[in-house]
Amino acid sequence: MPDLRNYVTTPIYYVNGEAHIGHAYTTFIADSVARHSRLKGIKTFFLTGTDEHGQKIEESAKKANKPTQVFADEISRGFKDLWDEFNISYDYFIRTTDEDHKKGVQKAFMAMYNNGDIYKGNYEGHYCISCETFFPESQLIDGEFCPDCGKPTNIVKEESYFFKLSAYEEKLLNYYDEHTDFILPKSRRNEVINFVKGGLNDLSITRTTFNWGVKLPEELNDDKHVLYVWLDALLNYITALGYGNDEKNMAFWPANIHMVGKDILRFHAIYWPAFLMSLDLPLPKHIGAHGWWTRDGEKMSKSKGNVVLPKEVADTYGLENLRYFMLREVPFGQDGDFSQRAFIDRINSDLSNDLGNLLNRIIGMSGKYSEFHIDSKDVARLHQKELDEMNSVLGNLEKFLDELQTHRYLEELWKLFSIGNKAIEEHAPWVKMKEQKKDEALATVALVANILAKASVMLNCIMPSTTTTISEALGFTINTEAYRSLILGQGLLKPFVIAQVPPLFPRVEQPLLEPAPEANKPESEDVEEDNLITIDQFFQTSLKIGTIVEAEEVPKSKKLLKLQVDIGEDKMRQVVAGIREFYSAESLVNTQVCVVSNLKPAKLMGMLSEGMLLAAKDENGLCLVRPESPRKAGSSVG
Ligand code: MSP
């Protein structure tokens, strides 16, 4: 057997607030991947931890009136305690304030410096403290606000060391080209590729305006700088393995998967690979970017008071129910909504009805027919059809987990329970018993026991403790050996006596948590729950047909075109639109478009924009939405 290794990471969490459901989601997926990998007998290293430097943390500590390190210690401990309570199987919990990490970061900085990728210069730009990122003016909203989080940016001017990111443009593009599954889901590849194609500026990687960060290596004798928090943070993935210190776990590098949220994909899919190329280290195999969780259709925020706290949910509904729900409910990469109704439906229908009842049924039947003794001896003879169906499901399952499609993985896995339930209905063991065909009745019970056993092995990574209870009831232990014999070897359970377990998934009849504040006062129930709007709300948006009369490129912008659009008013409307990558200015003149005409005017790169064009975008690019045949300028759309 080759010496297989697997390195799985979560992002390291900022220590400026307690863990919420989004953090739990990333951690649950990574934990499930790590657990399944260990089950397969692969040496696995699973890393999580906290990201503790930067201005944001310094400011949060000030607000809390605590020394920054004390503040960071407390919140970091909160994350660690939560993951321990949640039975997260991490192998190492890194903190960026660890001495070893800081030493490793300085070593990496020196290595990049020595190979000519770092130089000293000056930086002036718009900085978002919340995202700890500089943005070019062209990307700001209304010339001021951060395009990622919407908060105001500040102009920062400082001496800075730069990383020659621009030198890696082509190498990165080649890498994406050659490794089409580097970014998962694949649908997110293009957004990264387009960003790189749009041109990469060198990256400012030190700051002089605050102190809370890793100091520059002593060799550089420049103590007014601290390292940019994202360089510091990304390097955690190798310092955790001992990079720059004892290197003791570096054999785990490269990572198989960095799990991240979609908001931090760019850092992981562009900056991080470039840093690694500079360090002459191999690149991670996959970056898995998941979507964001909302609550009852609303973005979660402290100010709205609608943040879902994972501990509260787990304590109320059960930790493993929560894991199952989150991983089953949302296609990987898409945004997900946390609503108690959807959660309760999953518990009652998938867990209680499909899985729980099946176990109860075979406990009940084996108790009645054979004093709880179960023997697989006649299963292959009498149930080959079901065994074939089961093996075909099991044979196709793992690819979904490899692609992080946990919802598909679970959906497929649940087919096993349908096979079990169908077999019971079709073969009706109670009838067979009456007909004195005890062997046949017991074979069906044993078939279902095997189905449950195999499903438990594969479900173990998602619901470790519940499946351990099931396997104990079924007289076996879930481990690599069981995986090899029951799954890979398609073997069946040895004779055993089934143990009675209390119902594993009691039904939930009504929501157990207080509703989110917003959900208390819906205008009408349907509207709130289905995220629908009324016709009146729709007509609050004024959509008009416009004719583009003039179009010109905006100097120094790769994205923007400045358009004069006739929408049937006395004056032309000036619209600044980010469509230059998809349309040339000349090609637009005298064509028609749909314009949102009652948007508050905004400034883009200092130019007034008095409307927005409707456009549709997918992985093949962007196209404008236009009338099928010419209409009078100013005609309303709707
Ligand atoms: N410290 C950086 C990561 C550095 S990794 C080298 C960071 N931390 S964070 O605490 O702000 O976010 C951690 C993760 O939580 C990110 O992957 C982010 O996408 C995720 N989430 C934060 N809010 C979320 C939701 N509402 N839903 C899902 N995940 C979200 O970024």
Side-chain angles (χ1 to χ4, degrees), residues 611-626:
M612 191 178 92
L613 306 189
L614 295 192
K617 196 171 182 188
D618 68 8
E619 64 276 9
N620 297 317
L622 172 143
C623 74
L624 289 164
V625 176
R626 304 172 181 282

Side-chain angles (χ1 to χ4, degrees), residues 538 541-545 594-598 614 634-638:
F538 173 74
T541 310
S542 160
L543 295 173
K544 289 192 172 163
I545 296 298
C594 288
V595 184
V596 182
S597 66
N598 61 342
L614 295 192
S635 315
S636 57
V637 180

Side-chain angles (χ1 to χ4, degrees), residues 11-14 20 22-23 51 230 233 237 261 263-264 290-293:
I12 46 173
Y13 302 108
Y14 282 132
H20 60 65
H23 300 138
D51 187 356
W230 268 102
Y237 297 131
D263 53 320
I264 57 171
H290 63 73
W292 268 46
W293 281 83

Side-chain angles (χ1 to χ4, degrees), residues 66-80:
K66 292 191 176 155
T68 318
Q69 186 64 61
V70 172
F71 178 79
D73 287 348
E74 281 175 14
I75 304 222
S76 176
R77 162 72 35 204
F79 273 98
K80 190 158 187 287

